[in-house]
Amino acid sequence: MRVTVRLFARLRDLAGAAEFAREVPDGATIETVWQLVAAEFPSLVAYTRSISAARNAEYAKPSAPVADGDEIAFLPPVSGGVDDHV
Amino acid sequence: MRVTVRLFARLRDLAGAAEFAREVPDGATIETVWQLVAAEFPSLVAYTRSISAARNAEYAKPSAPVADGDEIAFLPPVSGGVDDHV
Amino acid sequence: MHFVGLVRRDNAGRRVAWLEYEAYEPLALGAFDRIAREAARHWPAAHLAIHHRTGRVELGEPSVVIAAASPHRAEAFAACRFAIERIKQIAPIWKHEFFEGGKVWIEGATANPDDERALAEAVRRACE
Amino acid sequence: MHFVGLVRRDNAGRRVAWLEYEAYEPLALGAFDRIAREAARHWPAAHLAIHHRTGRVELGEPSVVIAAASPHRAEAFAACRFAIERIKQIAPIWKHEFFEGGKVWIEGATANPDDERALAEAVRRACE
């Protein structure tokens, strides 16, 4: 099956790609997709423990299954809001 | 000596006067002035324990001396700001 | 950040028609300065601006506005909350409530800027 | 009440030139809804509105605005403070800082809306 992968912020800069489609095996989970992406873009490996993921624009756990046509997003640690001086 | 007395909010309504000049004895304090005012307007007596006072637009204690020409204000309990539901 | 206090329709079971605020203006402005200085002792980076309406204020209109600016959000929140608590304690401003069938002066705290317990309570509510 | 976060000139010893915020927009809007629902569980009378800029934001401009309305000021303050803490925890928004001589992505928390400890910390900071 085929999913759309989206990368944000520094993940996108490191990979040099914001969005691309990839073939993933049946039974794949979010984690499977990440492993495929990290294998293709080794500079992302360091983020394995700090990313969040979303499936079709909802937060999803690594163990969540993915389906054909899903949009799977990987998110580096977030920094919205105001400066973190306190 | 002569001072100007000012009354606010419900004190003014009860006395029916916002501002008036009165003769007070030498050595008078804020408290002396209040006693004269309360004697003149007995409906104010109930406020004796809950008023605040100011001398020339600065908060002043009952024991503060007053001088000729002073503006002495008596203030019922305040209620500015927002409603006190919390 | 800003705090805006709006006039409410319901108070103590009465349906409010409008309010009239009265102030002893020079003393009120002095009290606002005092509150800003007190806040600066606790939250030195925070700057406060305080404005209070006088005269008739309609339902839903703002009666009081406080602006607090600080590089650190915790200080802005604390200084702003402190200011509204302290205004209620020591600002010589009185609310005359007009409701269906009558009117009443709302009386809260006896203003005493030297009351250390009241000051401490305002600091506590400000959530340092 | 309103909280407005402004872009600061100084951050971590760097002189900031401007910021660029990037968001995963549908997920960010979902996170704002979630934050409002979480706040409603703790402070039912408070209503929240949250807005965050994306793209380039200049020094001194607002990056985030939160409005909290409540009949009780304590709830408005708490819900507003909760919202800013929670935005920093779970909103999929990233700050790209451009400074003299370079640029850097600011990375804070790993977003995990199910992290109960983070949620509890945001509630604690909100000063009930």
Side-chain angles (χ1 to χ4, degrees), chain C residues 1-41:
Chain C
M1 63 181 307
H2 314 102
F3 175 83
V4 180
L6 304 177
V7 174
R8 285 211 302 248
R9 181 182 197 149
D10 298 297
N11 186 34
R14 296 183 297 268
R15 175 157 292 196
V16 177
W18 73 87
L19 299 181
E20 288 178 15
Y21 282 99
E22 176 177 339
Y24 183 15
E25 191 167 316
L27 184 59
L29 296 176
F32 293 170
D33 281 345
R34 183 192 179 102
I35 291 167
R37 288 194 308 272
E38 289 172 344
R41 281 204 292 276

Side-chain angles (χ1 to χ4, degrees), chain B residues 7-85:
Chain B
L7 300 176
F8 287 91
R10 190 155 178 260
L11 298 187
R12 183 199 53 238
D13 284 0
L14 288 170
E19 182 174 339
F20 45 86
R22 285 295 179 274
E23 205 62 38
V24 298
D26 285 351
T29 63
I30 297 281
E31 192 162 20
T32 319
V33 179
W34 174 254
Q35 285 163 354
L36 290 169
V37 170
E40 187 173 342
F41 303 103
S43 59
L44 301 187
V45 170
Y47 275 91
T48 298
R49 295 162 64 100
S50 61
I51 51 158
S52 305
R55 175 173 170 263
N56 299 331
E58 306 234 12
Y59 279 114
K61 295 185 198 306
S63 59
V66 304
D68 187 57
D70 277 356
E71 173 176 293
I72 307 301
F74 295 108
L75 319 174
V78 299
S79 54
V82 291
D83 297 336
D84 208 359
H85 280 222

Side-chain angles (χ1 to χ4, degrees), chain D residues 8-29:
Chain D
R8 286 211 301 249
R9 179 181 199 153
D10 298 298
N11 187 33
R14 295 183 297 268
R15 175 157 291 195
V16 177
W18 74 86
L19 298 181
E20 288 179 16
Y21 282 100
E22 176 178 338
Y24 183 17
E25 190 166 317
L27 183 59
L29 295 175

Side-chain angles (χ1 to χ4, degrees), chain A residues 75-86:
Chain A
L75 319 174
V78 300
S79 53
V82 290
D83 298 335
D84 207 359
H85 280 222
V86 287

Side-chain angles (χ1 to χ4, degrees), chain A residues 31-50:
Chain A
E31 191 161 21
T32 320
V33 179
W34 173 254
Q35 285 161 355
L36 290 168
V37 170
E40 188 173 342
F41 303 101
S43 58
L44 301 187
V45 170
Y47 275 90
T48 298
R49 295 162 65 100
S50 61

